[in-house]
Amino acid sequence: MPEGTFCNKQPINTEEDLKSLLGDKGGAQYYEEMKHLDVDVPALAATLEKTCKARIRTWLEICAHCGMCADSCFLYRVSERDPKQVPAYKIQSTLGVIVKNKGNVSNEFMRHCVDVAWSQCTCCNRCGMYCPHGIDMGVMFSYLRGLLFSQGFVPWEMKIGSGMHRVYNAQMDVTEEDWVDTCEWMADEYGEEWPGLEIPVDKEDADIMYTLNAREPKHYPEDLAEAAILFHIAGENWTVPSTGWEQTSLAMFAGDWAACKKQVETVYSAIERLRPKRVVGTECGHAHRATVIEGPYWAGREDGLPPAPYIHYVEWLAEALRTGKIKIDPSKKIKEPVTLQDSCNYIRNHGLSNITREIMSYIAEDFREMAPNREHNYCCGGGGGFNGIGKYRHQRNEALKTKRDQILDTGCKLVVAPCHNCWDAIRDLEEEFEIGIRWTFLKPLILKMAIIPDHLKLQEDEDE
Amino acid sequence: MIGFLTGPMLMISLAIFFGGLAYRAVMYVRGLSWQLDRVAYKPHFTHGLKGALHSIRRWMIPGGTYGWRTQPFMAAAFFLFHIGAVLVPLFLLGHQVLLKQLLGFSLPTLPSLAADVLTVVAIIGGVMLALRRIALTEVRILTTPYDWFILAVSVAPFVTGFIARMHWGNYDFWIIAHILTGELLLIIAPFTKLSHIVLFFMSRGQLGMDYSIKRGGMKRNYAFPW
């Protein structure tokens, strides 16, 4: 059977297709169909010819097979040093074979590649730092995912994820109407407590345009309210766009480059439409990577930069604390030992390690580093889409052990995790291993500690 | 025989070696694509170059990177082998005499004791690299006959040259074996993994550029901690 009803080479482009794919619970039929999906060898060969250039070909060729990457990979370490988890082996035995055979590989081999690409690499890019030749397996796995996606070999949830972006321009089914309603609802809901609180939609020429992760309006809209309150306290002139507010890209995890381009262009056109001085993204790692680090390339921006300065939430927050826009009540600083999760996507991949530590210096009395940390930190265990793929839940749970042990070693019970993915992984590791920890984004923490300027207080407060 | 091997054949070998490696380097750069590689090479070239040089430099210092520091045995094997492998062929007195004959100029030369020591050191490094391949499961799974061939071709000129130099056994045999293995290495270098002689600098520098331009180099205000 060349193409299945659910598992085929066509990406999801309509709501109807998306709903019917969602109806295939757990992808049971989808994975069954994948067993019979034909590999379009000429198409794969043509894609390789067109897209596999000097960098990846050289990497595959000159890999010295020295194994220095082995220990750099947390998945190798948690799998009892299974040699099949050595990064160089993982990529040579998948992408390496596809390139060597010019795409002439079997269905079974492609399914093997799916397993390796989505359950044995989170594209954390740590191995690249430990390879003498500067070979970055994370980059190559991302490329491999693109090849697999183009042939219809992609985990069920990833196909859904990229379909969501294609249909809704968001990783979840949050429509523009839902989104704007959520903004109004949150402004109303919290406006009683915070007089004058606004969530201005489509305000032109604001100082800040705020973008976020669709999960926030969908599942925890209070995160949007918290962001609004903190901008309110800081006295920022800010806005959110009605379209182009979704900053994430599950399509990036899926390897659906066309959807990545489409998604990021909605954000960039919002920037061009509203002309903010700069853009602030929420506490999310992959969203930042998708829209700020990789996005410019998908959108064909030659300078590699978004249309306006685009910063991560931690950068805005550090600045607000540094300049006194937000002041912390010293008596409310975190007294207990607290540690910090370094998200691969904006620490290793965007150099923000000092910024997060600056924030910790303002808010914590006993900040403790994980080891290793900063650019050398390990993936939370759920990166690159790993968190969301049911088929690989067991492997994902094993992968959480690295972070569990790193946290346990700090002796802290509180973990600050300014990234949705890391936040989820840490929540799941507590559920899985019950080590008695708590985890938090920065927004609710800061809200509890911030000194509220008198003019923003409720009238009743002043009367008291 | 020796006349031919150290005359025309050496010229051919050197021409293939230098011409081939130069070609590989040029093709590497020409094959880069800012859109496919997702690195804005040109608009941030100066910044990228700094990152490239920093990355190359750190990796050429023993203990200069986290990678070397976390794997001291590999670091020792690597540096012992490569220091000899670079210095001895370039600066050995005998090689310079040949070079002078062939091309009319020569480079400075190493004292013979230093050359002997470096040769032995390179052989020890080579043996250590081989031991790693056998002893460590994570290296064993990656090792193919091709890796053994490359290692053998790389160490052979040192072993044969050293035996000849020590006048152990039949000098003529070992010196010819030395010249043949040396020329074999020169000839195959551009077509095999040995192309890393130049491609290391391209690839390592390229990742240094990547990190410096795109992955936070502009935000970090200090060099990336390789």
Side-chain angles (χ1 to χ4, degrees), chain B residues 14 95 110 141 153 201:
Chain B
L14 287 171
H95 293 174
L110 280 168
I141 191 169
V153 170
F201 294 94

Side-chain angles (χ1 to χ4, degrees), chain A residues 78 396-406 429 433:
Chain A
V78 295
R396 200 290 308 257
N397 286 350
E398 286 295 301
L400 299 174
K401 286 179 179 167
T402 307
K403 196 52 60 188
R404 175 198 65 186
D405 295 345
Q406 273 188 296
L429 84 85
F433 301 106

Side-chain angles (χ1 to χ4, degrees), chain A residues 53 55 58-59 61 63-66 68 131-134 136 294 297 303 315 349 354 375-376, chain B residues 24 28 31 37-38 40 44 71 132-133 142 147 193 200 203-204 206 210 214-215 219-220 222 225:
Chain A
K53 299 287 185 187
R55 181 156 89 146
T58 304
W59 279 348
E61 184 190 340
C63 170
H65 294 168
C66 71
M68 274 184 79
C131 170
H133 279 157
D136 192 326
E294 310 285 2
Y297 299 95
D303 61 1
E315 293 179 276
N349 280 292
N354 279 350
E375 283 82 0
H376 293 270
Chain B
R24 293 299 308 258
Y28 183 89
D37 300 336
R38 305 208 289 254
H44 310 286
Q71 301 199 36
R132 264 185 102 250
R133 289 216 178 276
L142 290 165
D147 293 308
K193 259 179 218 273
F200 158 79
S203 173
R204 183 76 254 165
Q206 201 273 336
D210 186 341
K214 169 185 168 189
R215 302 204 226 171
K219 297 264 181 183
R220 208 174 265 109
Y222 58 91

Side-chain angles (χ1 to χ4, degrees), chain B residues 7-110:
Chain B
M9 193 59 210
L10 181 57
M11 284 292 275
I12 293 169
S13 311
L14 287 171
I16 293 175
F17 180 79
F18 286 106
L21 290 183
Y23 178 78
R24 293 299 308 258
V26 169
M27 290 314 282
Y28 183 89
V29 175
R30 288 188 52 180
L32 292 178
S33 151
W34 69 270
Q35 229 162 341
L36 290 173
D37 300 336
R38 305 208 289 254
V39 185
Y41 299 113
K42 274 187 197 161
H44 310 286
F45 187 75
T46 319
H47 197 82
L49 193 63
K50 273 189 211 156
L53 294 174
H54 171 75
S55 180
I56 292 169
R57 191 172 59 86
R58 297 307 299 181
W59 278 96
M60 289 177 72
I61 301 169
T65 63
Y66 278 65
W68 291 139
R69 288 198 289 276
T70 50
Q71 301 199 36
F73 185 88
M74 174 58 188
F78 172 89
F79 282 102
L80 292 177
F81 178 71
H82 281 87
I83 288 170
V86 172
L87 295 181
V88 176
L90 275 179
F91 303 115
L92 189 80
L93 180 61
H95 293 174
Q96 290 309 319
V97 171
L98 272 179
L99 189 66
K100 182 99 186 166
Q101 275 174 11
L102 271 180
L103 301 170
F105 74 94
S106 63
L107 302 171
T109 56
L110 280 168

Side-chain angles (χ1 to χ4, degrees), chain A residues 95-255:
Chain A
L95 180 63
V97 172
I98 295 177
V99 171
K100 203 169 156 191
N101 293 348
K102 298 188 168 57
N104 193 5
V105 292
S106 67
N107 168 292
E108 198 183 0
F109 185 80
M110 291 292 267
R111 279 185 290 126
H112 165 70
C113 290
V114 170
D115 289 342
V116 179
W118 276 280
S119 82
Q120 296 185 16
C121 177
T122 62
C123 301
C124 79
N125 302 94
R126 193 171 187 270
C127 50
M129 295 169 54
Y130 288 79
C131 170
H133 279 157
I135 299 172
D136 192 326
M137 267 63 69
V139 168
M140 284 198 278
F141 266 110
S142 177
Y143 176 71
L144 174 64
R145 288 180 179 198
L147 294 180
L148 294 169
F149 182 88
S150 72
Q151 292 279 325
F153 288 89
V154 56
W156 180 68
E157 292 86 346
M158 293 292 105
K159 178 139 184 175
I160 293 169
S162 92
M164 287 283 182
H165 286 284
R166 284 166 174 270
V167 175
Y168 298 106
N169 275 324
Q171 63 160 290
M172 289 172 178
D173 56 348
V174 182
T175 62
E176 183 180 327
E177 201 183 7
D178 294 340
W179 157 245
V180 174
D181 280 352
T182 308
C183 292
E184 284 167 10
W185 169 38
M186 281 298 115
D188 282 351
E189 178 101 4
Y190 285 80
E192 289 174 19
E193 197 183 334
W194 297 91
L197 182 74
E198 278 186 284
I199 301 183
V201 180
D202 283 341
K203 190 205 276 187
E204 294 182 0
D205 302 301
D207 291 338
I208 288 172
M209 180 179 107
Y210 180 61
T211 57
L212 58 166
N213 180 326
R215 291 169 38 149
E216 294 166 10
K218 177 87 180 174
H219 293 305
Y220 18 89
E222 66 275 11
D223 193 285
L224 170 62
E226 286 160 358
I229 296 165
L230 285 166
F231 284 140
H232 184 58
I233 294 175
E236 295 285 16
N237 168 22
W238 70 293
T239 188
V240 290
S242 54
T243 53
W245 53 273
E246 157 69 310
Q247 200 195 333
T248 71
S249 183
L250 289 186
M252 172 172 75
F253 291 158

